[in-house]
Amino acid sequence: MPDKLEEPLNIKKKDQHFIWHPFTQMKEWEQEPPTIIVKGDGVTLTDIEGKHYLDGTSSLWVNIHGHRHPHIDQALLAQINQISHSTLLGLANLPSITLAEKLLQIAPTSESPPEKLAKVFYSDNGSTAVEVALKIAFGFWQYQGKNERRKKLFISFENAYHGDTIGSVSLGGIDLFHQTYGPLLFETIKVPAPTCYRCPIGLQYPSCNMACIDEVEKTMQAHQHQCAGLIIEPLIQAAAGMLTAPPGYLKKIRALCTRYNILMIADEVATGFGRTGKMFACEHEGVVPDLMALSKGITGGYLPLAATLTTQRIYDAYLGEYAEFKTFFHGHSYTGNPLGCAAAIANLEVFEKEETLKNLQAKIQFVKETIDPWKHWTHVGEIRQAGFMIAIELVSDKRTKQPYALEKRMGGLVCQEAKERGLILRPLGNVVVLMPPLSIEMADLETMVSIVGDAIKKVTA
Ligand SMILES: *Cc1c(COP(=O)(O)O)cnc(C)c1O
């Protein structure tokens, strides 16, 4: 809490004076007094003036069971009374062990062929979870025979977003982020994403028979001896604008990775922990990746924590005598942080206790049915939804799918309107995104959806 004696206005000035905000043009930020959030409760946020807002972004895709959930709060307090941090370098700690076991229990598995994830490597954010997957996959091939050592390249998708560190930006496919930093990035092989609304090969789903995947297969075939891995955001490319893939696509990618001996990395940083209606997006298609990156929802939106899960086979490749130096030389100061792990354990316990996933299904259906008619609105190009990841793409011309010029900031204007009506949203360009905490009550969900609709109508009128 801020010092009670300090004027809100003063604090706002200090924010503008001292803080460099992420993904923010600070020249603009300095012109408008910021909204300072001081409290949260359930799906409601309260600002420094006492104004309430609904949290329509799950505090940027991380919150699951609402703010100040008593069970997670209690678990954190209990852990603070034991120890807040101890290292995993040379020592172990209890919460990280309990959490690892739980994560592996709920991770996607398959019976035939029998496959499962068997090891957990901790870090502290989505970008590092991806970096770790990338390095583990790369090293895996380096510890095989001479031929496999040529496998050094990664295949990734156009429009993909995997985080902001140099490795994860290299894997990403958002041009804007590559403009300035291109020279720093390593080379990856980009393949077209299965984005049906603007099909990269100009076909129509389903008559296309998912022809876009042939491109991916051709690339895999051509580069199989140089390719270490393929990284994919399963079911939905989130930051790209919530671009959903057609059903069955993910499963086909899994089969191709197996056929061409390329490790499959599933980036479930956004989709993990129930966001798509199942615990992990891979479960929708019975897919078990070779590596899986988790973060965002892992602690229910409480603390920064991440995990990279992998298979016994990959782990085993790193085993050897000390002097062989096959050790995975990677780790962070806060790897396996006990507080973060305690929050994550409590997060999973709430999933069970409150039957979060079961109760979520009716809410997913409600949103689907309520916003479906909006597809007829003059400036709604497409509505996309994967569970509780909901997106409405606005276009200037519905027939030609002509996007609004980005400078018009239609998404931003909709969010401004929504904020005035008491709902916090954050757009992705011309795409209006709604991603409520999974715990939201039906009445609040109705309010959120109707505010989104009103804001879109107002701005596109
Ligand atoms: C957010 C996100 C990341 C990066 O996570 P950070 O914690 O912001 O570093 C990586 N991959 C996907 C799919 C994401 O949505």
Side-chain angles (χ1 to χ4, degrees):
M1 282 294 287
D3 186 339
K4 282 277 183 311
L5 298 172
E6 193 121 31
E7 288 292 318
L9 204 62
N10 232 339
I11 301 208
K12 292 184 180 190
K13 289 232 171 72
K14 283 190 181 175
D15 173 276
Q16 290 168 314
H17 209 79
F18 297 130
I19 296 183
W20 191 343
H21 283 258
F23 282 97
T24 302
Q25 177 43 261
M26 293 307 292
K27 186 174 173 201
E28 281 174 13
W29 183 267
E30 288 175 12
Q31 284 156 14
E32 285 268 330
T35 301
I36 300 181
I37 298 299
V38 294
K39 203 166 171 180
D41 199 352
V43 299
T44 303
L45 303 170
T46 306
D47 75 8
I48 198 162
E49 273 105 10
K51 190 163 185 254
H52 300 303
Y53 305 91
L54 290 168
D55 185 355
T57 71
S58 292
S59 292
L60 218 67
W61 314 359
V62 299
N63 192 282
I64 303 280
H65 306 295
H67 298 275
R68 289 181 60 217
H69 191 288
H71 185 71
I72 307 178
D73 288 4
Q74 278 308 317
L76 280 173
L77 287 172
Q79 185 58 43
I80 284 174
N81 284 326
Q82 298 297 319
I83 186 168
S84 290
H85 184 65
S86 163
T87 180
L88 286 197
L89 278 71
L91 292 171
N93 71 58
L94 289 176
S96 65
I97 301 169
T98 308
L99 178 61
E101 184 177 24
K102 275 184 180 290
L103 287 175
L104 295 172
Q105 273 165 2
I106 60 169
T109 55
S110 102
E111 299 276 313
S112 62
E115 274 160 0
K116 63 176 181 156
L117 294 160
K119 301 286 166 185
V120 176
F121 191 97
Y122 288 112
S123 60
D124 42 35
N125 63 73
S127 307
T128 54
V130 168
E131 264 335 297
V132 166
L134 171 79
K135 285 175 71 178
I136 290 180
F138 187 91
F140 171 79
W141 297 112
Q142 293 311 301
Y143 301 141
Q144 310 292 317
K146 184 159 158 279
N147 277 339
E148 281 85 2
R149 261 176 249 142
R150 287 183 295 155
K151 287 167 81 72
K152 290 180 176 173
L153 287 172
F154 286 86
I155 298 178
S156 59
F157 287 87
E158 279 159 18
N159 321 311
Y161 178 76
H162 298 293
D164 296 334
T165 53
I166 294 301
S168 46
V169 174
S170 299
L171 294 173
I174 296 182
D175 292 339
L176 195 59
F177 306 161
H178 283 233
Q179 258 172 28
T180 306
Y181 297 102
L184 271 181
L185 307 175
F186 58 77
E187 193 194 335
T188 62
I189 307 174
K190 287 278 176 300
V191 289
T195 49
C196 300
Y197 181 55
R198 294 192 179 84
C199 176
I201 51 175
L203 298 177
Q204 282 257 321
Y205 179 81
S207 59
C208 63
N209 268 322
M210 277 197 244
C212 58
I213 214 162
D214 298 342
E215 292 290 310
V216 183
E217 175 159 17
K218 270 188 219 146
T219 304
M220 284 189 177
Q221 202 167 21
H223 298 280
Q224 55 184 308
H225 302 298
Q226 293 87 44
C227 251
L230 170 146
I231 184 162
I232 185 167
E233 292 168 83
L235 297 197
I236 179 164
Q237 291 187 304
M242 302 292 161
L243 304 174
T244 47
Y249 186 85
L250 186 67
K251 203 174 174 63
K252 287 194 177 188
I253 289 291
R254 169 69 272 187
L256 289 176
C257 285
T258 306
R259 181 178 318 155
Y260 294 107
N261 203 20
I262 291 167
L263 297 177
M264 178 186 180
I265 305 170
D267 179 353
E268 290 244 16
V269 171
T271 51
F273 301 96
R275 209 62 78 173
T276 65
K278 291 188 186 283
M279 190 55 94
F280 300 108
C282 283
E283 286 174 52
H284 289 272
E285 306 207 353
V287 161
V288 182
D290 298 293
L291 293 131
M292 182 159 98
L294 301 175
S295 189
K296 290 204 166 100
I298 193 170
T299 60
Y302 269 65
L303 284 163
L305 182 77
T308 305
L309 275 50
T310 190
T311 58
Q312 188 70 41
R313 167 179 170 239
I314 292 176
Y315 172 86
D316 284 346
Y318 283 80
L319 300 180
E321 296 308 317
Y322 182 78
E324 290 177 74
F325 298 118
K326 287 181 179 176
T327 303
F328 182 41
F329 291 107
H330 189 110
H332 299 278
S333 310
Y334 283 95
T335 294
N337 171 256
L339 273 186
C341 292
I345 295 164
N347 175 40
L348 293 177
E349 286 167 349
V350 178
F351 265 101
E352 279 184 32
K353 274 211 269 213
E354 298 185 357
E355 302 189 296
T356 306
L357 292 176
K358 188 169 149 230
N359 295 327
L360 181 60
Q361 307 310 317
K363 300 180 224 178
I364 292 172
Q365 201 54 33
F366 165 78
V367 175
K368 208 182 209 73
E369 284 162 15
T370 311
I371 67 177
D372 183 65
W374 301 3
K375 66 182 180 226
H376 302 297
W377 295 2
T378 319
H379 292 286
V380 170
E382 191 183 43
I383 296 173
R384 296 183 286 268
Q385 188 180 351
F388 239 24
M389 302 170 81
I390 301 140
I392 299 119
E393 175 163 347
L394 306 178
V395 288
S396 86
D397 185 329
K398 200 180 176 84
R399 199 181 47 82
T400 61
K401 304 181 184 179
Q402 177 66 35
Y404 281 106
L406 276 184
E407 309 81 85
K408 283 200 155 182
R409 301 213 218 172
M410 293 301 279
L413 292 176
V414 170
C415 295
Q416 257 173 35
E417 283 294 326
K419 192 172 173 196
E420 276 162 32
R421 291 163 167 81
L423 170 64
I424 300 288
L425 296 176
R426 186 163 168 97
L428 293 163
N430 291 323
V431 179
V432 178
V433 176
L434 180 65
M435 213 194 283
L438 309 189
S439 63
I440 190 168
E441 303 270 343
M442 202 51 118
D444 288 327
L445 186 58
E446 282 170 21
T447 308
M448 276 194 192
V449 172
S450 88
I451 293 176
V452 174
D454 290 347
I456 291 176
K457 270 193 268 186
K458 172 97 189 277
V459 170
T460 59

